[in-house]
Each structure stands twice: as structure tokens, then as C-alpha cells.
């Protein structure tokens, strides 16, 4: 967390299957992780942010076959044309991108499982059961809908038989329950924690960890006719990319992860199987697994398979990446499901971003140009605004600590509204008409400019582009240094100096014309 301990704040997204291109559900997790990473950097912490792609397994193999390519050619194609571009589209600042087909990953995965095999955590056996290729998971019969439908994907499961190797997951139930009890924040939110505890209390079955019916995977080191099950290969990305087994210094700086962000559909893998694997390997456990909800379409999880996926770019092309990043974190309580609607997004864009935030920046900078020749006058920061600023900083920072992005943005937007109210009430355009009010006008201009400075810092992890433009137009770049060097904790103590050169800001969130029709990508 801090430079003093030498431990970075380490945040991850799940690694994404490359059977298809990203939709806004994937972008949602990625943006949340990026906001968290940027916020912690803005706090002055050393941060390490990992994302990547999950490239093995039957699901990816079938997609490659359907498209007439080898699995490797298909994954390369998808990473280059779809997954890496998504990160650029959304201004994501990941520190590394791991692909499970990379040598650096595969070698460590083999070493890990060889160690567990040598230590007696693996045995041979056979298993037959319902398998969902969409989930890449053996399902529990009682959880299937109408007897044979996957509750997540809605399509028929397949009966799969494997003579293979098993990890003794069942022997970890007690230890896991003790761990959850001793670490009440490990699984968040509370509903996810309760679900996991209930699941483990029901008893765990051993986990089939190899496959022999296809070969698109990491070869089992002690029996290369088999490949490792995709999930026990994929979960290890969090340590293989972090230096496990090859860079002890990096591993000490990064591991354990501070937070794994995951969708609720993959909670058990992260909160049950992953900690059990780490326990078996005697490695420290991550601090937190946070399960967010789903973006829904027509009440169901948005998915490409069901042809309800919307590509992130369809939204960013129209509203821009900042508005995309803002909207989903502002509208949906992190941890709950939410729906995207084009009308709702247009409305939030117009009212909160355009009318409230963007317009305040345009108004203030144009008034400083007009009334003070673009030079920020010296003035006294309004006491009520100073208080509101302090409250916004404290509330937003505490909310981010809880991963309550919605509350953090609500706290900053409350401040934005207060400042708008202040400007409306003081009527600087009237003060400007009488030289006798010059001092009062200076105070309003100064206070509003400094409030905008605070907003630029607090909103920059969410809307980096707009905040950078605002920062530059306030003259803060020359007066206070780059936006990235501003510290959250100091927002209410650092102020814009009089004399800062202010230039008129073009609308940050211009009015938009017609709404395009969004069609599934
Ligand atoms: N490859 C696995 C994860 C391995 S992590 C070691 C996987 N990939 S995925 O591409 O299917 O999903 C990745 C993430 O996207 C999951 O957290 C999942 O919950 C999330 N989402 C997929 N569809 C979603 C929505 N409609 N809404 C929100 N998130 C969704 O699972």
C-alpha cells in the first residue's frame, strides 16, 4: 500500500475469455479496476494493476474451430483486434497484460501444479457430470434449471466423463470457513460473503483439474497426454504475472493482491477454489474478492451468446470514454445488477456532466477571461465552499475504500451542485457591472476556480480526459504541476495561486444530437 512498506496496491480484473469480443459488461469490470488504480495512484500509493486474457479451454477452442483458425491464431487475432483495443478505447492504465498462452505463465503454472502433485494434493480418479462449456465448469445437478439448463447461460449442459486428476478441494472446507470468519472483509459485498459461506458449509467436492478430450491447454507436467483444466490455469495468472517463481522482489512488492474484482458469476472460483489452491501451495491469500453485479438486458445478464452484447465502442463513439466511465459507476451500486439504457445515459450525460460539471468550468473560465483578462485574481476562498470541499474529499475517499464508487461520485457531485448554487446566488455577472464590487467579484471567481481545481483532482480517476482539459484551462498545470501529482489527501489544503493564467474552456460535454440506435455487436 505505501512506499514505506514496499508493498504496492495490487488490483486485478478477471482475465477475459477470447472466444468473443468484449461487450460493456467486460468493460464495466475493467473500468472499475482502472478507477481504483488511478485513485490509489492519486493518493500517492505505489499501484500495480493487472488485466489480461484467458485463452485456453474448450470454449475458446470451439470458437477458433468455428472460425476456421487454429486456437493460437484465433486468440492472437482476438487479443490484437478486440481486447487490447478495448483498453485503449476506455483509457485503461493497466501495468501489465497477461495472456495465459504466454510462456511466462505456462511455465509457472506447470511448476505450481507439479509442486502440489509432489506434495500429495492431487490424486487420480474419474468423474461424470453435467458440464457447461460457457462457464467451463462441472455444474451441480440441483442448480440446473429445468433439469439440464445452465442457470447462467440458459443453454443445455453436456454430460462429461473424465478419467483424470483431482485436487483435494474437499479437505479445505474447514480451513476456508475459519478464514472467512477471521477475515470478514475477504468476500464483499455482504450478500456475496453469505453466499460463499453457505456454499462451503454445504460441503465441497474434490475438483477435477485435468482434461483429456482436447489438448488446448497447459500440458500436465507429470502426464502430458492431459491438459490442465482452464480455471486452475487461469486463476494462477494473478501470481504468475506478479513474479511468482521467477522474480521474488516483484512478488514481494505485489502479492498478495489487495483486491480481485470479479463478476458474481465467477465468485466461487475466486473465493473458494483460488484460496484453497493458495493454501495448498502455502502462499498468502488475497485481501479481498469483490463481486459486482451484472449489466442486464431485458432482465438477463448481457451476453454475446444471447446476442445482447453491446460493444463499448458503440457507446464511447457517441458519448466519449469519460462519460462511459462515469455513467456505469454512477448509476449502478457496485455489487448490484443494473441496466443500461440509452435514454438514461443521455439524460445523465446532459444533466450531470454537461449542465452541472462541464458548464461550471466553461462559465468560470469565460468570466475570468472577460472580467479579469484571463488572470485569476487574488480572493478569499468562501468558507462554506471550503467546508463542502473538505467533506467531498473525505466522503469520496472513504467510499472508494469500500469500493462504493456510486457513493464516491455522489459525494463529488453534491459538491459540484453546491458550487453551482453558490455561483447562481452570487450572480458574478451582476457584480461585474459595478467597479465598487470588484473585491466581491474577485472572491467569487477565486472561490469557484479553486473549487473546480478540487473537482478536477477528485474526478480525474473517473474522467481523466475532461479533468486534464479543465486542469490546463485553470492554469493549474503551470501553477501547481501535473494533475497526476496532486494528492487526494491534500485537495482541501492546496489552492490555486492568484495570477494563474486561465483560458476559456470549450464545453467538456457538448450537447449531443440524435441518439443512434444501439444494435448488438
Ligand atoms: N475467463 C474467466 C475469468 C477467469 S479469471 C481467473 C471469465 N471470463 S469472461 O470473459 O466470461 O468474464 C469475465 C468477467 O466479465 C466476469 O467477471 C464476468 O462476470 C464479467 N461479465 C460478463 N458479462 C457481464 C455482464 N453482463 N455484466 C457485468 N459483468 C459481466 O469468466
Amino acid at each position: 500500500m505505501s512506499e514505506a512498506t514496499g508493498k504496492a496496491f495490487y488490483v486485478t480484473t478477471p482475465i477475459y475469455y477470447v472466444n468473443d469480443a468484449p461487450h460493456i459488461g467486460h468493460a464495466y469490470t475493467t473500468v472499475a479496476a482502472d478507477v481504483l488504480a488511478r485513485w490509489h495512484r492519486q493518493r500517492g500509493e505505489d499501484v500495480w494493476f493487472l488485466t489480461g486474457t484467458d485463452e485456453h479451454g474448450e470454449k475458446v477452442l470451439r470458437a477458433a474451430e468455428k472460425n476456421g483458425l487454429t486456437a493460437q491464431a484465433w486468440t492472437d487475432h482476438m487479443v490484437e483486434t478486440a481486447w487490447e483495443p478495448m483498453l485503449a478505447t476506455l483509457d485503461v492504465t493497466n501495468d501489465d497484460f497477461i495472456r495465459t498462452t504466454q510462456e511466462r505463465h505456462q511455465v509457472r503454472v506447470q511448476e505450481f501444479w507439479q509442486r502440489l502433485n509432489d506434495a500429495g494434493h492431487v490424486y487420480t480418479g474419474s468423474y461424470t457430470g453435467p458440464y457447461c462449456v460457457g462457464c467451463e465448469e462441472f455444474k451441480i445437478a440441483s442448480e440446473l434449471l429445468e433439469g439440464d439448463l445452465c442457470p447462467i447461460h440458459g443453454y443445455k449442459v453436456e454430460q462429461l466423463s473424465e478419467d483424470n486428476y483431482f485436487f483435494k478441494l474437499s479437505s479445505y472446507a474447514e480451513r476456508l470457513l475459519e478464514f472467512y470468519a477471521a477475515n470478514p472483509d475477504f468476500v464483499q459485498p455482504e450478500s456475496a460473503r453469505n453466499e460463499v459461506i453457505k456454499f462451503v458449509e454445504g460441503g465441497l467436492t474434490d475438483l477435477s483439474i485435468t482434461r483429456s478430450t482436447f489438448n488446448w491447454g497447459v500440458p500436465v507436467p507429470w502426464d502430458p497426454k492431459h491438459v490442465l483444466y482452464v480455471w486452475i490455469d487461469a486463476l494462477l495468472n494473478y501470481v504468475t504475472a506478479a513474479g511468482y517463481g521467477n522474480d521474488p522482489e516483484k512478488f514481494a512488492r505485489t502479492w498478495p493482491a489487495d483486491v480481485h474484482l470479479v463478476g458474481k458469476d465467477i465468485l466461487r472460483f475466486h473465493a473458494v477454489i483460488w484460496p484453497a489452491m493458495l493454501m495448498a501451495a502455502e502462499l498468502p491469500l488475497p485481501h479481498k474478492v469483490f463481486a459486482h453485479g451484472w449489466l442486464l438486458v431485458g432482465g438477463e445478464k448481457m451476453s454475446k451468446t444471447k446476442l445482447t452484447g453491446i460493444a463499448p465502442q458503440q457507446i464511447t463513439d457517441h458519448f466519449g470514454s469519460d462519460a462511459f466511465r462515469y455513467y456505469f459507476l454512477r448509476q449502478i451500486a457496485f455489487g448490484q445488477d443494473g441496466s443500461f439504457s440509452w435514454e438514461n445515459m443521455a439524460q445523465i450525460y446532459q444533466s450531470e456532466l454537461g449542465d452541472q460539471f462541464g458548464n461550471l468550468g466553461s462559465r468560470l473560465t469565460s468570466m475570468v477571461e472577460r472580467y479579469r483578462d484571463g488572470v485569476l485574481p487574488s480572493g478569499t476562498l468562501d468558507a462554506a465552499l471550503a467546508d463542502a470541499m473538505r467533506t467531498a474529499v473525505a466522503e469520496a475517499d472513504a467510499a472508494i475504500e469500500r469500493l462504493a464508487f456510486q457513493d464516491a461520485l455522489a459525494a463529488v457531485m453534491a459538491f459540484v451542485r453546491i458550487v453551482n448554487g453558490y455561483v447562481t446566488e452570487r450572480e458574478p455577472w451582476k457584480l461585474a457591472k459595478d467597479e465598487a464590487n470588484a473585491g466581491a467579484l474577485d472572491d467569487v471567481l477565486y472561490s469557484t476556480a479553486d473549487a473546480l481545481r478540487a473537482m478536477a483532482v477528485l474526478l480525474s480517476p473517473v474522467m481523466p480526459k475532461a479533468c486534464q482539459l479543465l486542469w490546463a484551462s485553470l492554469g493549474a498545470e503551470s501553477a501547481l504541476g501535473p494533475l497526476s501529482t496532486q494528492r487526494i489527501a491534500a485537495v482541501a489544503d492546496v489552492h490555486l495561486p492568484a495570477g494563474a493564467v486561465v483560458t476559456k474552456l470549450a464545453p467538456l460535454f457538448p450537447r449531443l444530437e440524435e441518439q443512434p440506435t444501439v444494435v448488438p455487436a
Side-chain angles (χ1 to χ4, degrees):
M1 191 185 142
S2 71
E3 279 120 48
T5 60
K7 170 73 175 75
F9 177 82
Y10 177 16
V11 53
T12 68
T13 71
I15 50 172
Y16 301 101
Y17 286 130
V18 291
N19 61 306
D20 215 331
H23 60 61
I24 60 177
H26 307 116
Y28 177 57
T29 325
T30 311
V31 162
D34 188 56
V35 168
L36 204 54
R38 285 177 183 262
W39 188 275
H40 280 262
R41 287 190 201 112
Q42 206 79 47
R43 274 187 185 169
E45 295 172 19
D46 180 19
V47 169
W48 204 63
F49 167 22
L50 177 69
T51 188
T53 41
D54 189 353
E55 305 184 357
H56 290 132
E58 214 166 347
K59 171 155 144 162
V60 172
L61 179 61
R62 286 187 190 177
E65 283 166 353
K66 213 172 111 196
N67 286 278
L69 290 177
T70 63
Q72 189 64 57
W74 172 255
T75 61
D76 289 347
H77 168 74
M78 291 307 282
V79 170
E80 281 157 28
T81 60
W83 290 93
E84 284 179 343
M86 173 187 79
L87 301 178
T89 300
L90 296 166
D91 293 317
V92 174
T93 56
N94 51 305
D95 294 292
D96 197 354
F97 187 94
I98 184 141
R99 300 181 51 180
T100 53
T101 51
Q102 286 166 338
E103 166 100 3
R104 62 167 173 162
H105 174 72
Q106 304 208 44
V107 169
R108 309 296 160 217
V109 168
Q110 288 189 318
E111 284 171 5
F112 181 97
W113 282 104
Q114 184 67 58
R115 264 180 67 192
L116 261 55
N117 188 44
D118 294 346
H121 297 287
V122 173
Y123 66 91
T124 50
S126 65
Y127 189 79
T128 301
Y131 192 83
C132 171
V133 176
C135 296
E136 291 282 16
E137 183 184 19
F138 274 109
K139 307 303 282 189
I140 300 168
S142 60
E143 288 181 346
L144 298 175
L145 304 177
E146 297 170 30
D148 62 358
L149 302 181
C150 167
I152 291 169
H153 292 89
Y155 49 66
K156 267 197 180 162
V157 293
E158 301 169 20
Q159 285 300 313
L160 190 66
S161 286
E162 284 285 354
D163 286 327
N164 57 15
Y165 296 93
F166 285 78
F167 170 53
K168 292 181 185 166
L169 183 64
S170 58
S171 63
Y172 288 91
E174 275 314 306
R175 276 180 69 187
L176 285 168
L177 289 170
E178 282 165 21
F179 180 76
Y180 305 142
N183 299 275
D185 291 339
F186 175 64
V187 183
Q188 293 281 301
E190 199 59 24
S191 54
R193 171 182 156 80
N194 294 339
E195 184 202 311
V196 166
I197 291 176
K198 202 168 143 222
F199 176 71
V200 178
E201 279 173 349
L204 296 175
T205 49
D206 289 343
L207 181 70
S208 156
I209 57 162
T210 59
R211 295 288 179 269
S212 53
T213 49
F214 62 92
N215 66 1
W216 181 235
V218 179
V220 174
W222 62 88
D223 188 354
K225 290 189 304 300
H226 301 248
V227 290
L228 292 167
Y229 168 44
V230 61
W231 267 102
I232 57 115
D233 150 9
L235 286 162
L236 283 166
N237 89 88
Y238 301 129
V239 292
T240 59
Y244 168 72
N246 82 326
D247 187 344
E249 250 171 61
K250 182 177 179 187
F251 197 53
R253 175 182 156 237
T254 52
W255 194 254
D258 289 79
V259 54
H260 292 315
L261 294 185
V262 301
K264 63 182 183 179
D265 48 323
I266 57 170
L267 175 63
R268 285 182 200 169
F269 291 103
H270 286 82
V272 180
I273 295 175
W274 178 225
M277 281 166 58
L278 291 165
M279 283 173 177
E282 295 174 12
L283 287 171
L285 269 47
H287 292 313
K288 195 189 294 287
V289 175
F290 193 103
H292 65 71
W294 287 335
L295 300 192
L296 305 175
V297 175
E300 283 189 43
K301 179 176 174 240
M302 172 181 295
S303 95
K304 286 264 172 157
T305 332
K306 290 183 189 156
L307 301 179
T308 53
I310 298 167
Q313 207 165 343
Q314 287 179 279
I315 294 180
T316 56
D317 279 352
H318 192 66
F319 292 106
S321 56
D322 279 355
F324 183 108
R325 296 167 59 98
Y326 179 83
Y327 174 76
F328 289 100
L329 296 179
R330 170 79 172 118
Q331 278 309 91
I332 304 169
F334 205 57
Q336 285 169 30
D337 293 345
S339 308
F340 163 78
S341 106
W342 196 262
E343 293 71 25
N344 183 235
M345 173 142 195
Q347 195 240 318
I348 296 289
Y349 174 92
Q350 193 55 58
S351 60
E352 297 191 5
L353 297 182
D355 298 347
Q356 286 284 323
F357 176 49
N359 194 30
L360 183 63
S362 305
R363 280 208 288 172
L364 176 274
T365 53
S366 79
M367 286 192 291
V368 177
E369 273 211 338
R370 193 169 339 131
Y371 305 140
R372 295 293 180 259
D373 293 326
V375 178
L376 188 68
S378 67
T380 308
L381 180 60
D382 181 84
L385 287 197
D387 277 353
M389 187 189 291
R390 209 166 278 285
T391 305
V393 175
E395 284 183 1
D397 200 36
I400 294 286
E401 194 62 34
R402 305 191 303 276
L403 301 187
F405 299 100
Q406 191 181 42
D407 294 353
L409 286 170
V412 182
M413 291 318 283
F415 177 56
V416 174
R417 265 194 306 280
I418 289 172
V419 181
N420 270 304
Y422 163 84
V423 174
T424 308
E425 192 209 315
R426 297 297 159 108
E427 301 183 306
W429 46 92
K430 285 194 182 156
L431 296 174
K433 289 188 179 144
D434 185 349
E435 197 44 38
N437 294 324
L441 178 59
D442 285 349
D443 285 347
V444 177
L445 296 177
Y446 182 79
S447 298
T448 310
D450 198 51
L452 278 159
R453 170 202 57 83
M455 290 168 207
V457 180
L458 295 174
L459 290 172
S460 67
V462 180
M463 297 186 285
K465 281 190 186 133
C467 291
Q468 179 54 46
L469 289 172
L470 174 59
W471 189 252
S473 90
L474 290 171
E477 189 87 27
S478 339
L480 298 172
L483 180 50
S484 61
T485 62
Q486 306 303 302
R487 295 290 158 256
I488 299 286
V491 165
D493 301 314
V494 169
H495 300 289
L496 263 181
V501 179
V502 176
T503 44
K504 187 169 167 17
L505 185 65
L508 291 176
F509 302 96
R511 280 195 171 272
L512 299 173
E513 301 311 321
E514 278 295 283
Q515 297 168 15
T517 316
V518 182
V519 286

